Amino acid sequence: MKSIFFDYTPESSRVTVSDIEKITTKLLPELHQIKNAVGSGYKNEYASLNLSSNSQMIDHVKNLVAKKKKDLNICVLVVIGIGGSSLGAVAVHESINGVLYNELSSEMKIYFVDTIDTDYVRTVLLLVEREFKNGGGVLLNVVTKSGTTTETIVNFEIFLELLKKYKQKSYADHIVITSDRDSKLWNYAQNEKIETLEIPKNVGGRFSVFSPVGLFPLGLVGVDIDQLCSGALSVVDSCTEKDLKKNYAAESAAFVYAQYKKGFSIHDTFIFSRDMRAVGDWYRQLVGESLGKKVDRSGNVVNVGITPTVSVGTNDLHSVVQLYLGGPRDKLTTFITLKDDQDELRVPQFDEFDSLVANIQGKTVASIRAAVVRGVQRAYHADERPFVTIEIPEKSAFCLGQLLQMKMIEVMYLGYLLGVNPFDQPQVELYKKETREILAAQ
Ligand code: PA5
């Protein structure tokens, strides 16, 4: 099976081997904790590491995917959820199926409804109503761990109203709710006889992509969820390796932490694949919510955090690279590149264009992109801008599983190095409370 490759060199990362070793040695107690948690179920905050090996849960999701597909002849899947209840599924879906999937799909379209936004929500409503009028099957997957997130409940109610208009008696069959057992929404679903999928209590939102949160919608749009989970499982083993040279998550965390300590607090994920942009968005949330903390594990005010940014090649070479190569020395970069892009899409052999851009006639787009990646990395290297590279052999479910799982473990290691709890998000709760108060006063 093809595997992702973490390419770290002291020259490009600007961190010495001995510094990496010192930091990774510091990580040993955490590595031990994580290793102990693997295989021990959903008992503690590392529970997410045991999702990809839970064959019973994976089979349950697969059976429900098959049942809903058969019973409803689904033409449109609407996934209603926000943050960790949406970003992982978007990342995997778009990476594998492509951002233009809905334009090409002859079977099932998918819409992610996360934000509160009249224009966007109205457009999706129109598209879904069109399917109803054409007699197509519609499925709503409402995903919320807490069951009480304002955005998600607002959007659910709006789509439920539409569903009830066209499926007065059978609307409950067209909904699947993914939530914590016994959340208020879970209990509502039980009363309404709506199918439910459970998120284990100790699996937090941004760590939940390999739970039914991600697996159910991904299974519906044809992602091989067995392969996704096998990929994840394969790195759970390697990223808890004591031999730190094989442990990409620990090496990556050490690189980020070493640079952070030198004052580089912005971490750019620079992805050379348009379809994989959402992986950057998913990672941005993972880092933002897990590591941006007011207090450390002992309750001291520390106000730490690494600011995650996302860039996409080659577009952003014409946007922010001037800043990255000319601006302040406060950024480190992880390039994500595709290794063997075998697509034969070629620039035609129009010799008259040679005077416009030389040496591109007859070449594949993939080979030109590879040349650009090398060029960018040489420029970063020459200007001493620190970077590492994660090479993805192919945009397969297996490799996506590896990449996302490796990044989740990397963030756990970074949480340990920064001395913070990567599993909570107390400051997010602050805005939720304020909003509830304003709504109550309206
Ligand atoms: O990662 C997290 O915990 C958050 O981003 C949540 O996923 C987000 O706030 C949505 O919460 P819920 O799933 O409870 O609706």
Side-chain angles (χ1 to χ4, degrees), residues 250-294:
E251 276 196 309
S252 181
F255 160 65
V256 176
Y257 183 70
Q259 290 299 351
Y260 177 75
K261 281 288 174 199
K262 289 196 233 169
F264 290 63
S265 62
I266 299 172
H267 183 189
D268 188 43
T269 302
F270 204 146
I271 307 175
F272 277 79
S273 162
R274 195 181 179 118
D275 287 338
M276 288 181 68
R277 194 212 144 88
V279 170
D281 294 336
W282 168 84
Y283 181 66
R284 192 165 70 108
Q285 188 234 4
L286 182 69
V287 169
E289 285 198 351
S290 304
L291 305 178
K293 294 289 150 78
K294 183 173 177 177

Side-chain angles (χ1 to χ4, degrees), residues 1 9-10 20 36 98 119 127 140 157 227 243 259 287 289 316 318 422 426:
M1 202 61 78
T9 65
I20 290 279
N36 277 347
D119 296 332
L127 292 167
L140 300 188
E157 287 192 48
Q227 280 300 306
D243 178 356
Q259 290 299 351
V287 169
E289 285 198 351
D316 287 336
H318 303 263

Side-chain angles (χ1 to χ4, degrees), residues 21 36 68 104 112 180 255 301 315 323 325 377 429:
E21 275 171 7
N36 277 347
K68 288 293 172 192
L104 284 175
F112 290 92
D180 267 7
F255 160 65
V301 175
N315 320 36
L323 168 72
L325 286 172
Q377 293 189 332
E429 300 308 319

Side-chain angles (χ1 to χ4, degrees), residues 41-237:
Y42 299 133
K43 283 199 297 240
N44 59 26
E45 50 195 9
Y46 302 103
S48 65
L49 295 167
N50 294 316
L51 291 166
S52 60
S53 58
N54 187 341
S55 51
Q56 214 184 337
M57 177 272 291
I58 298 166
D59 285 346
H60 179 58
V61 170
K62 282 181 2 194
N63 289 338
L64 190 59
V65 166
K67 180 174 180 298
K68 288 293 172 192
K69 273 188 151 176
K70 181 167 158 281
D71 292 354
L72 301 178
N73 183 27
I74 308 166
C75 293
V76 179
L77 167 65
V78 182
V79 182
I80 300 174
I82 195 162
S85 288
S86 156
L87 288 164
V90 180
V92 177
H93 161 65
E94 289 192 357
S95 296
I96 294 174
N97 292 332
V99 288
L100 297 178
Y101 165 86
N102 279 350
E103 277 79 353
L104 284 175
S105 169
S106 52
E107 271 193 26
M108 188 190 304
K109 297 194 182 355
I110 182 167
Y111 296 102
F112 290 92
V113 178
D114 46 9
T115 179
I116 298 188
D117 180 322
T118 314
D119 296 332
Y120 179 72
V121 173
R122 191 175 288 293
T123 308
V124 180
L125 270 176
L126 279 173
L127 292 167
V128 173
E129 182 149 30
R130 191 193 289 171
E131 288 303 333
F132 275 129
K133 285 181 177 157
N134 292 338
V138 172
L139 180 67
L140 300 188
N141 180 207
V142 184
V143 190
T144 164
K145 184 171 171 63
S146 62
T148 54
T149 296
T150 307
E151 289 92 332
T152 305
I153 301 303
V154 165
N155 288 326
F156 178 33
E157 287 192 48
I158 290 170
F159 280 88
L160 182 61
E161 189 180 36
L162 181 71
L163 196 54
K164 284 186 169 175
K165 180 171 154 195
Y166 286 90
K167 301 283 169 192
Q168 231 171 8
K169 295 215 172 91
S170 62
Y171 67 89
D173 300 339
H174 294 257
I175 306 170
V176 171
I177 285 178
T178 310
S179 190
D180 267 7
R181 183 176 287 274
D182 292 335
S183 74
K184 285 183 189 162
L185 189 66
W186 175 280
N187 294 336
Y188 158 87
Q190 302 293 307
N191 289 338
E192 291 277 317
K193 305 215 172 351
I194 292 172
E195 200 92 48
T196 45
L197 285 168
E198 182 180 352
I199 310 169
K201 276 267 179 320
N202 281 323
V203 173
R206 54 194 175 275
F207 294 92
S208 68
V209 59
F210 303 125
S211 78
V213 169
L215 298 187
F216 182 63
L218 291 170
L220 281 167
V221 290
V223 171
D224 186 333
I225 59 176
D226 284 321
Q227 280 300 306
L228 184 75
C229 290
S230 303
L233 193 55
S234 73
V235 296
V236 168
D237 289 340

